[in-house]
Amino acid sequence: AQSVAQPEDQVNVAEGNPLTVKCTYSVSGNPYLFWYVQYPNRGLQFLLKYITGDNLVKGSYGFEAEFNKSQTSFHLKKPSALVSDSALYFCAVRDIGYQKVTFGIGTKLQVIP
Amino acid sequence: DAGVIQSPRHEVTEMGQEVTLRCKPISGHDYLFWYRQTMMRGLELLIYFNNNVPIDDSGMPEDRFSAKMPNASFSTLKIQPSEPRDSAVYFCASSRTGPYGYTFGSGTRLTVV
C-alpha cells in the first residue's frame, strides 16, 4: 500500500519570504515522488519529481524539493515566494513497481503581498 | 503536442440524463487515468487503463459509471443516469510506462441539476 500525507490544509507566506509545503509518504518499496500545482479552474500541472540520485530536486518556476528517506518526507520549497505562486499544491507518490500514483489531499498556498 | 484534451469543458445536465465525458491522451502514452475532484473528497481515482485495457476500476462509485477506451487515442467516461451528487470536476490524465508523472487535461466541470 502507498499513501501521502499533507499535514497543512493551508500555508500563508509573505511575498519574498521562503516557503515550505510539507509532504510525507509511505510505500512498501522505493518511491517515485512528485509535486503538482493546480491554479483555479485548471488541471494539475507537473512541477518536479524525485526518481533517484540527488536528494535535492529542482523543478519549474524556481521550486525545489528535498527527499529525506529517513523521515519519509518530500517537502516542497522556494527561496522567495511570489503572489503568483498562490495555488493548490499536491504531493504524490508511487511505488517503483507500480504505475498508479497516490495523491495527497492538497495544500492551499496563499502568498500575501 | 497539444497535451491531454478533454471535452466538453463544462456540462450542465438534468438529473436522470446520460452524460458522456471525452478524453484524448497524449500520443505515445500507454496509461490513461480518470479522476474526480470535489471539495469534500479531493482528488479520487476512478479508473485507469493500460494499453486500452481497464486495469483498476475499484474507484468507480457505482454501476451508473462506466468507462471505455476503444483505441489508444480516445476514452469516454459515461454516467447514466446522472445525479446531483455526481457534480464535480472530472480530469483525464495520461502517462507512459516508466518513472514519469502524469499529464492532466483541463477537466470537465459537470453540474447535475
Side-chain angles (χ1 to χ4, degrees), chain A residues 27 48 52 83 100:
Chain A
V27 294
L48 51 79
T52 187
V83 172
K100 182 178 172 180

Side-chain angles (χ1 to χ4, degrees), chain B residues 9 15 35 37 42 46 49 53 64 81 90 92-93 110 112:
Chain B
R9 285 299 308 274
M15 184 174 63
Y35 282 87
Q37 186 178 35
L46 301 176
F49 296 82
V53 176
R64 297 185 297 108
Y90 291 80
C92 176
L110 174 64
V112 183

Side-chain angles (χ1 to χ4, degrees), chain A residues 2 32 34 36 38 40-46 49-51 88 90 93-94 96 98-105, chain B residues 9 30-31 33 35 37 41-43 45 48 56 58 91 95-107 109:
Chain A
Q2 55 190 36
Y32 291 152
F34 306 87
Y36 289 82
Q38 185 181 29
N41 301 313
R42 302 287 295 275
L44 279 69
Q45 297 177 33
F46 172 80
K49 66 181 179 183
Y50 170 81
I51 302 301
L88 189 58
F90 291 91
V93 66
R94 54 170 274 223
I96 287 178
Y98 300 94
Q99 194 71 20
K100 182 178 172 180
V101 167
T102 298
F103 286 87
I105 61 171
Chain B
R9 285 299 308 274
D30 53 349
Y31 282 88
F33 305 83
Y35 282 87
Q37 186 178 35
R41 292 188 296 272
L43 202 58
L45 176 64
Y48 76 95
D56 184 350
S58 60
F91 288 105
S95 178
R96 52 190 169 117
T97 301
Y100 305 103
Y102 296 175
T103 301
F104 282 80
S106 298
R109 183 175 294 276

